[in-house]
Amino acid sequence: MTEFWDSITSAQPDPSLRLVIGTGVVALVLIGFRPLWRMTRHVVTIAHEGAHGLIAALVGRKLSGIRLHSDTSGVTVSRGHPTGPGMIAVLLAGYPGPALFGLAAAFVLSRGYAVAMLWGLLVALLILLLQIRNLYGLWSVVVFGALVFGISWWGSPSVQSAFAYLLTWFLLLAAPRAVLELQHSRRYGQGRSSDADQLRRLTGVPALMWVGVFGLVTLGCLALGVVWSGVLPG
């Protein structure tokens, strides 16, 4: 247990630039190749709905449960006032959520704590698991958590570092694509119950403006994450 705790609290050696860039390229493949994206997008949904749930709890709403579906959609249900700043904050959290989680991971990695980042993710997944209310969502979180646990427990330091960077790049790069998909679905008459459209009904601000906010936040997180990764000088 002492060795285990030391592995979490001790900084690991800085990874090579080749590893950092290589994991970013792999993340791009996972996002850009459509057959892979259909599977890996579930990770984005987990982060998206997790962000809704986290903010709902922080603003004092009662979280009723989270559902994750096989088509990579999801829904987070919370009880409280249907309008007002709290509800707006919950709706705002979803699309920027994966990028903000990725940025937080990039910050932790920039300090050398790859193992701590993975175990922190495991704790977050365990908390999320308690709120899942359907079988497919349960299966999705358990499978993803098992993967993270396996690498955290049995992986070598180099494997742990590579996986942590891969996951970080994936969240940072996938978040802008999810925003593009949102606008694409809206353009063709779908997604009218999306976060952006619900924000329009609550605030009167056009949904396209909210999509733009989502896009700016996710791209800003990506830019800062690139700097923190050491690929570009900060």
Side-chain angles (χ1 to χ4, degrees):
M1 289 301 298
T2 301
E3 293 179 0
F4 169 69
W5 182 249
D6 287 343
S7 70
I8 295 177
T9 57
S10 301
Q12 286 75 45
D14 291 336
S16 66
L17 185 59
R18 179 179 298 179
L19 182 144
V20 175
I21 295 176
T23 52
V25 171
V26 174
L28 279 174
V29 173
L30 295 175
I31 296 164
F33 187 47
R34 187 172 295 273
L36 291 175
W37 175 241
R38 292 193 191 103
M39 295 183 292
T40 59
R41 198 188 189 287
H42 289 287
V43 176
V44 179
T45 304
I46 290 172
H48 179 114
E49 301 303 331
H52 280 315
L54 174 62
I55 298 303
L58 290 177
V59 300
R61 296 180 65 85
K62 184 174 178 58
L63 191 59
S64 300
I66 296 172
R67 292 177 178 269
L68 307 173
H69 303 133
S70 60
D71 62 354
T72 73
S73 66
V75 61
T76 298
V77 179
S78 62
R79 290 187 303 219
H81 201 283
T83 60
M87 190 62 206
I88 292 172
V90 171
L91 291 170
L92 272 172
Y95 281 94
L100 291 169
F101 290 143
L103 185 61
F107 177 80
V108 174
L109 290 178
S110 71
R111 297 319 190 248
Y113 294 99
V115 177
M117 173 259 180
L118 293 177
W119 281 97
L121 173 59
L122 277 172
V123 172
L125 289 173
L126 180 60
I127 295 172
L128 177 65
L129 191 64
L130 299 176
Q131 297 298 329
I132 298 296
R133 295 296 182 266
N134 67 323
L135 287 176
Y136 189 85
L138 182 68
W139 180 85
S140 298
V141 176
V142 167
V143 169
F144 183 46
L147 174 63
V148 176
F149 174 79
I151 292 175
S152 303
W153 189 260
W154 289 293
S156 65
S158 59
V159 170
Q160 291 169 340
S161 181
F163 182 74
Y165 270 92
L166 174 62
L167 184 57
T168 300
W169 280 124
F170 179 82
L171 291 172
L172 289 171
L173 293 166
R177 171 158 187 175
V179 175
L180 289 175
E181 290 181 342
L182 166 64
Q183 183 55 27
H184 183 269
S185 66
R186 295 188 65 260
R187 183 181 302 169
Y188 289 95
Q190 303 172 358
R192 295 305 179 182
S193 61
S194 70
D195 296 349
D197 289 278
Q198 292 183 67
L199 284 166
R200 174 187 60 79
R201 290 190 286 272
L202 284 176
T203 65
V205 177
L208 185 60
M209 295 288 290
W210 290 114
V211 174
V213 170
F214 296 159
L216 287 174
V217 173
T218 57
L219 290 175
C221 288
L222 174 58
L224 188 53
V226 169
V227 173
W228 283 350
S229 71
V231 174
L232 296 176

